[in-house]
Amino acid sequence: MQFASLARAKIQTPRFRSGLIERSELEQRLGDALANQRLVLLVAPAGYGKTAALSRQLQRLPAGRALAWLTTDEDDDLQRLLAYLIEALEPLDPPWRLAPEALLERVDQGRLREATSALLNTLEATDTPGGGVLVLDDLHAVADARVFEFLNQLLEGLPPNWTLVIASRVEPPLALARWRARREVAEFDETALSFSKKEVQDLWRHATGEDDPEQADRLLERTQGWAAGLSLSLEASQRSATTAPMEARHNRRHLFDYLAAEVFQDLPAELQAFLLRCSLLSELTVPRCEQISGNPRAAELLEDIGRRRLFSSVLDSEELTLRLHDLFRDFLEERLRRLHPEEMPALLRRAAQGEADPLRRTLTYLRAGAWQEAEQSLADGTADMLASDKGGQVIRMIEQFPADIQASSPVLAYVRGWCAWPRYQYGAVRSNMEQAAAGFDALGRHGEAQRARAMQAVAMFFCGHMAEARRLSQTVRSQPMDLETEALSELFDFWYEGHHGPVEGPGNHLANAIDLLEKGRSAELWFRCIPRVNMFSSRPRVSEQIRRIVNGARAATVDGQWSLHADANLMDAWLHLWQGRLPELEAAFQRIEEDSQWLGQPAGLQVRLLTLKVNYQLICDDTDAVRETRDMLAAHAALLDPSSDLPLQYLAIVVRASAAIEDWPSVRMHLPALAVKVGHESPCMRMFLRSIEAQLAFQEGRAGEALKTFRELAASSAEFNTMFLDAMVRTRLALAELADGSPAAAWRALDPLIERIVSSGNVGQVLVTGVRGLNELSAASWGGAASEEGLAILREWTAIAKRFKARTQNKPYDPAGQQSAGLSARELEVLALLAASQSNKLIARTLDLSPHTVKRHVARILDRLDLSSRMQAAHWYRTRFGT
């Protein structure tokens, strides 16, 4: 996950300047609560010193007690809060078993309890001998009700050695009665946080250098021990004898504004102007303050703010970073709006321009009412967010725009359609891209309209409207195209010619698309283009291009883009299956299973993994496993977008698998639905349906009907071949011809298939048609009809299938594997350093890896060893390899 300075600022425990007085009674109570309670609540109005008290006490946590701090704000919904909380936990090296991005995706899908459970399991397994403390500061700023549902679930399952601390201006809407009844909550309200008489006297002495109980008592009476009032009263008293008017005592906010104004008016004019304009920033750094204020002396002014202790805390960062107290920031922003309302839009625009986080930048533009800049900001950040599995965050950001802008903006329509693509919601892609294209054209942005239409055409094709999509794609091709539009157009032609011919079309267009992807170097564009292209892997040059896809996608992938990484692994596995490379395939299976688990078993990846698995099981002739996987595939397919061709494609695989294991009742059950779904626009799908009907006819004794159909199909099955269509048609035709007493005709059916497979090396396309048919063909009495060379190849195919089956039934003993438990050499290196008590960051530095990659290695190590924590993994390593 990539968080910029914003994340670092939000997860830093604020550090206050020296000079805080001892508050021994409060600190003793707070220390006891942090050590012994499940929940600690600090609930008091603004300015009562909640953050300062917590910050001071947390610095005294015993060694071995972990800390994760998060300052929340009004922009934080549940997903953002969780994302920052995950980042706050990273220094503890939590042993994630599920990618943090996948955890957030579960929240997007409404699977909150699963997400919370994954977080709790990780907390429990984190190696913190003294337990840990989770702090949520300023929780009153959060409006998302789901946050409090999450916190209730978090409290319910919080490990015994962890404590949740909440600081808020108002009592959070949690199920507090239960924890109060069980005495598992410690509460600190304004009474507990108010300064006592002795503390005010100590404060007066510290601030003035004088011991004056009478003045201290008057200060206590005026402020009632309110920390913010005390601080500003002392500041004001040092400047003049003025005190707050009596009526201000009864309204803390009025008192604060009055005293703040007193202090503010005495500041140099330059510092006043600087503070007013920088109050729009959540965190104050030199570059951002220079940008928004236009003052090149930002560094000196920030130092001055710190020296004057102007309601600011210092964040632990590589560059000087201050955070203004909410009360002071609100005072300054209100004053800015009152004195300089005409500057607000421009200042907010400047604030947005300096914001590294795309979502925060977009929100700031929205505050400025800068709708077009907000749209463009969101569009500019979408590619990286989609490549990092953060499409849900983009959709939530669209929902922050005014309703009329959402309805009319072509940019937002484009982004909505873009986000629907990786979820395989092609109906939504089609409608949104159609709206976007029309809107862009109306604005004269014809290049963007072209890009939208290119995506619309592919989505329309996947929705079964092939002829209409073809016309639209040709219109796009008739106009100038940028690289992305051209790549999408090549992708369209790959799919169209895959279904309609010519036979060499898919390979040529896929090669062209990959050339463009390699030039563009966009991880998201690779991610958009590569799924399911293995459907035509039996066509000329396609397998060769899939190898380029695997290499190119891996080269384009950076840390955190786990879905693209998984897609590349899946394509790699298909190549191994197609070329009969069993050891490599088994290793690839393990990688993909781990990918799927790490990503939370997303539906799109899971259904494609099941497809690969059922084909592997067909080669192994494992009928029971085929039935189980086939049924899982059918269940998953039923949940896919009904407006797209996906349910049809996966139903076809279900039917083919059933036919291959001769489960004819299942074929009969699914065939009517398949017949309804197969439209008139796809010749290869119509041929597939006819081939299944012919197989069923042959099984039911209608041999003549079956033979006639197979002969007709064989005339064009190579031209409209998918992964397996031509091999299925020709092997079934050969079996039917043999049954009809015509071995010569049977061999004529097989001979072109043998020649193509020998030429390409893609033996998998015939193995997945079913081992039983291959066994019959290799054992048949061919007389003189078959060539010896051809028969040898046929027998080699059956031998490969037998090796697949034998390997699954009788795994060879591997002493080295027993010692290493299947860990790779790199994983053993990571584990050795982990056992030496090195953190993920140090391991990454030692092995020249990224911390994200180390995190993934640790998850794989724990999965393969069936362990739950780093400590257990370290013990496992030491018992086998020593220290």
Side-chain angles (χ1 to χ4, degrees):
M1 305 172 70
Q2 298 178 354
F3 290 90
S5 58
L6 169 66
R8 291 194 297 273
K10 286 172 67 71
I11 65 176
Q12 289 285 346
T13 305
R15 179 165 49 86
F16 293 88
R17 300 284 183 172
S18 60
L20 294 177
I21 66 165
E22 291 287 337
R23 303 190 66 190
S24 55
E25 184 179 347
L26 173 63
E27 289 165 4
Q28 179 64 46
R29 284 189 58 209
L30 191 52
D32 289 344
L34 291 173
N36 300 303
Q37 297 291 353
R38 178 188 296 263
L39 173 64
V40 177
L41 277 179
L42 289 81
V43 179
Y48 266 92
K50 300 182 291 295
T51 302
L54 267 178
S55 172
R56 184 183 181 109
Q57 194 58 42
L58 291 170
Q59 291 174 18
R60 303 175 179 179
L61 286 177
R65 193 106 203 262
L67 170 64
W69 176 289
L70 171 59
T71 301
T72 62
D73 60 44
E74 63 274 9
D75 293 333
D76 290 335
D77 57 13
L78 176 58
Q79 282 83 349
R80 286 176 70 82
L81 182 142
L82 271 173
Y84 292 127
L85 183 57
I86 288 166
E87 186 72 5
L89 290 167
E90 281 305 290
L92 309 180
D93 289 332
W96 298 106
R97 310 299 286 276
L98 180 73
E101 296 85 357
L103 187 149
L104 297 176
E105 182 70 13
R106 290 189 177 189
V107 173
D108 284 335
Q109 296 167 353
R111 299 158 64 187
L112 177 57
R113 189 163 293 279
E114 292 179 40
T116 308
S117 178
L119 176 60
L120 288 168
N121 290 339
T122 300
L123 286 178
E124 189 166 14
T126 300
D127 296 331
T128 52
V133 178
L134 296 176
V135 180
L136 298 178
D137 194 22
D138 291 343
L139 192 63
H140 57 270
V142 175
D144 188 349
R146 297 175 305 158
V147 167
F148 302 101
E149 182 184 355
F150 158 70
L151 291 176
N152 274 323
Q153 294 179 16
L154 185 71
L155 277 169
E156 179 69 32
L158 198 65
N161 57 345
W162 282 83
T163 296
L164 175 64
V165 181
I166 293 174
S168 174
R169 295 182 189 176
V170 296
E171 183 174 291
L174 300 173
L176 296 176
R178 176 181 185 183
W179 307 116
R180 286 168 176 155
R182 294 168 59 171
R183 298 185 179 181
E184 294 189 54
V185 56
E187 301 184 68
F188 297 81
D189 59 11
E190 58 190 274
T191 301
L193 293 166
S194 295
F195 278 65
S196 67
K197 181 175 181 176
K198 180 182 181 304
E199 289 169 341
V200 173
Q201 290 175 352
D202 292 343
L203 184 63
W204 179 274
R205 188 182 308 111
H206 180 84
T208 65
E210 300 175 2
D211 192 0
D212 191 337
E214 187 176 337
Q215 285 282 16
D217 288 347
R218 279 200 292 271
L219 183 60
L220 176 61
E221 181 186 0
R222 186 164 64 248
T223 63
Q224 300 297 302
W226 181 45
L230 287 167
S231 178
L232 280 174
S233 293
L234 287 168
E235 289 282 346
S237 69
Q238 291 175 2
R239 289 171 170 77
S240 69
T242 304
T243 57
M246 293 296 293
E247 61 270 17
R249 298 179 196 171
H250 304 294
N251 187 318
R252 292 184 180 85
R253 181 55 197 250
H254 289 169
L255 174 61
F256 183 89
D257 286 355
Y258 176 84
L259 293 172
E262 288 284 309
V263 173
F264 187 76
Q265 293 293 357
D266 285 344
L267 297 176
E270 181 186 31
L271 186 55
Q272 289 186 33
F274 182 80
L275 277 167
L276 287 176
R277 286 154 183 82
C278 293
S279 68
L280 297 178
L281 301 173
S282 299
E283 291 80 28
L284 278 58
T285 63
V286 172
R288 299 209 64 202
C289 289
E290 281 185 357
Q291 181 183 31
I292 196 169
S293 70
N295 192 325
R297 296 183 61 247
E300 299 168 54
L301 293 172
L302 285 177
E303 289 287 353
D304 195 15
I305 291 170
R307 281 194 301 272
R308 292 172 182 269
R309 299 176 184 169
L310 285 173
F311 275 83
S312 64
S313 58
V314 183
L315 300 178
D316 189 9
S317 179
E318 294 178 1
E319 60 179 343
L320 176 61
T321 306
L322 301 183
R323 180 185 292 138
L324 297 177
H325 190 286
D326 285 351
L327 269 175
F328 193 44
R329 186 179 166 204
D330 291 346
F331 161 79
L332 292 170
E333 188 170 335
E334 187 279 330
R335 198 175 184 91
L336 175 65
R337 291 181 183 278
R338 179 162 47 84
L339 297 179
H340 306 289
E342 75 286 352
E343 291 188 35
M344 288 294 293
L347 288 171
L348 285 167
R349 279 183 165 91
R350 283 188 218 163
Q353 289 162 5
E355 179 58 67
D357 181 276
L359 299 185
R360 192 66 169 262
R361 181 173 62 243
T362 303
L363 282 170
T364 307
Y365 277 129
L366 288 173
R367 286 181 63 199
W371 313 129
Q372 291 184 1
E373 290 96 329
E375 291 171 6
Q376 196 57 51
S377 169
L378 184 59
D380 290 345
T382 295
D384 285 342
M385 296 194 71
L386 287 179
S388 300
D389 303 308
K390 298 178 183 176
Q393 294 185 39
V394 178
I395 292 297
R396 289 193 306 280
M397 188 56 58
I398 291 174
E399 294 167 353
Q400 303 300 310
F401 285 77
D404 60 326
I405 301 293
Q406 290 186 49
S408 61
S409 166
V411 175
L412 296 185
Y414 185 91
V415 172
R416 273 195 304 271
W418 199 359
C419 290
W421 187 280
R423 297 173 184 261
Y424 307 102
Q425 296 169 346
Y426 295 118
V429 176
R430 176 188 178 185
S431 59
N432 279 289
M433 289 302 168
E434 184 175 13
Q435 177 188 345
F440 283 136
D441 273 337
L443 295 173
R445 297 163 66 171
H446 301 301
E448 290 161 284
Q450 279 279 86
R451 197 179 311 141
R453 286 197 179 93
M455 284 187 68
Q456 179 191 350
V458 180
M460 190 182 299
F461 182 91
F462 287 156
C463 289
H465 305 286
M466 297 183 180
E468 185 181 356
R470 175 68 165 171
R471 289 191 293 271
L472 180 61
S473 181
Q474 289 173 332
T475 300
V476 171
R477 279 197 173 278
S478 69
Q479 302 294 325
M481 298 181 291
D482 62 14
L483 183 145
E484 181 177 328
T485 304
E486 189 175 356
L488 291 167
S489 296
E490 291 290 351
L491 180 68
F492 177 90
D493 288 343
F494 164 83
W495 283 103
Y496 187 87
E497 294 190 8
H499 281 267
H500 297 84
V503 66
E504 69 278 0
N508 294 337
H509 289 296
L510 191 56
N512 294 340
I514 296 169
D515 288 343
L516 294 163
L517 291 172
E518 290 173 343
K519 286 182 185 177
R521 299 182 179 179
S522 163
E524 186 280 326
L525 192 54
W526 279 97
F527 185 40
R528 213 182 323 168
C529 290
I530 69 175
R532 300 196 297 142
V533 296
N534 58 291
M535 179 174 176
F536 298 111
S537 51
S538 296
R539 297 288 185 88
R541 296 188 65 202
V542 171
S543 289
E544 170 191 337
Q545 304 312 316
I546 291 177
R547 172 50 58 197
R548 290 181 64 198
I549 284 176
V550 172
N551 296 337
R554 285 174 172 167
T557 304
V558 299
D559 290 326
Q561 295 174 344
W562 304 120
S563 288
L564 177 56
H565 177 81
D567 279 354
N569 284 342
L570 192 63
M571 286 295 169
D572 194 32
W574 274 111
L575 285 177
H576 295 315
L577 178 74
W578 234 229
Q579 293 164 7
R581 297 198 294 258
L582 183 55
E584 294 90 340
L585 176 60
E586 290 174 342
F589 259 126
Q590 184 171 17
R591 288 193 297 269
I592 301 164
E593 292 279 11
E594 291 166 351
D595 289 338
S596 182
Q597 182 172 340
W598 179 247
L599 290 166
Q601 298 182 331
L605 178 60
Q606 193 67 11
V607 75
R608 287 178 290 143
L609 175 56
L610 289 170
T611 303
L612 176 67
K613 189 177 291 186
V614 79
N615 279 285
Y616 169 73
Q617 291 162 350
L618 284 171
I619 298 176
C620 296
D621 196 25
D622 190 341
T623 301
D624 290 340
V626 170
R627 289 178 190 274
E628 181 180 353
T629 305
R630 174 204 66 190
D631 292 345
M632 292 173 62
L633 183 59
H636 278 73
L639 302 175
L640 298 172
D641 180 6
S643 67
S644 74
D645 70 337
L646 291 175
L648 168 64
Q649 298 294 339
Y650 291 113
L651 181 59
I653 294 166
V654 167
V655 172
R656 179 177 64 83
S658 299
I661 61 172
E662 300 179 4
D663 184 355
W664 301 112
S666 178
V667 173
R668 293 185 185 94
M669 179 178 71
H670 290 295
L671 198 58
L674 184 67
V676 169
K677 290 178 181 295
V678 171
H680 66 280
E681 296 195 41
S682 173
C684 61
M685 289 308 297
R686 291 201 307 274
M687 292 181 67
F688 170 76
L689 176 61
R690 291 188 66 201
S691 72
I692 295 295
E693 291 171 339
Q695 290 181 62
L696 190 58
F698 187 79
Q699 190 272 336
E700 292 174 347
R702 294 177 280 125
E705 177 185 339
L707 193 55
K708 179 176 182 295
T709 302
F710 282 132
R711 287 170 178 166
E712 292 172 357
L713 293 173
S716 55
S717 57
E719 182 179 358
F720 298 107
N721 197 12
T722 56
M723 288 188 295
F724 52 79
L725 179 62
D726 184 54
M728 182 173 67
V729 166
R730 291 187 175 278
T731 55
R732 295 307 182 266
L733 172 57
L735 289 169
E737 296 283 13
L738 285 171
D740 193 49
S742 304
W747 192 255
R748 285 196 298 272
L750 283 179
D751 198 38
L753 177 64
I754 293 172
E755 182 180 346
R756 280 194 290 272
I757 292 176
V758 169
S759 174
S760 68
N762 292 333
V763 67
Q765 62 183 296
V766 70
L767 297 180
V768 300
T769 62
V771 176
R772 299 177 190 185
L774 289 180
N775 287 337
E776 287 184 47
L777 291 173
S778 62
S781 299
W782 290 98
S787 68
E788 287 301 321
E789 182 181 359
L791 280 175
I793 293 168
L794 188 58
R795 293 181 185 121
E796 174 58 21
W797 293 350
T798 60
I800 293 172
K802 288 177 181 177
R803 287 197 293 272
F804 268 63
K805 184 169 186 175
R807 192 173 177 96
T808 60
Q809 292 177 340
N810 185 25
K811 293 282 188 182
Y813 175 68
D814 178 7
Q818 293 290 319
Q819 174 78 350
S820 64
L823 298 179
S824 68
R826 175 63 84 187
E827 287 160 355
L828 285 170
E829 288 179 316
V830 170
L831 184 52
L833 295 172
L834 186 154
S837 302
Q838 291 199 20
S839 67
N840 284 357
K841 191 174 291 186
L842 288 175
I843 294 172
R845 191 175 302 157
T846 301
L847 298 180
D848 194 23
L849 301 172
S850 75
H852 291 283
T853 301
V854 173
K855 185 193 310 179
R856 183 68 194 279
H857 278 311
V858 171
R860 281 200 292 261
I861 289 166
L862 295 177
D863 284 337
R864 292 181 182 181
L865 300 182
D866 194 24
L867 301 174
S868 61
S869 72
R870 293 166 63 93
M871 189 178 298
Q872 292 173 352
H875 177 73
W876 182 95
Y877 182 86
R878 293 189 194 107
T879 58
R880 284 160 178 78
F881 300 100
T883 57

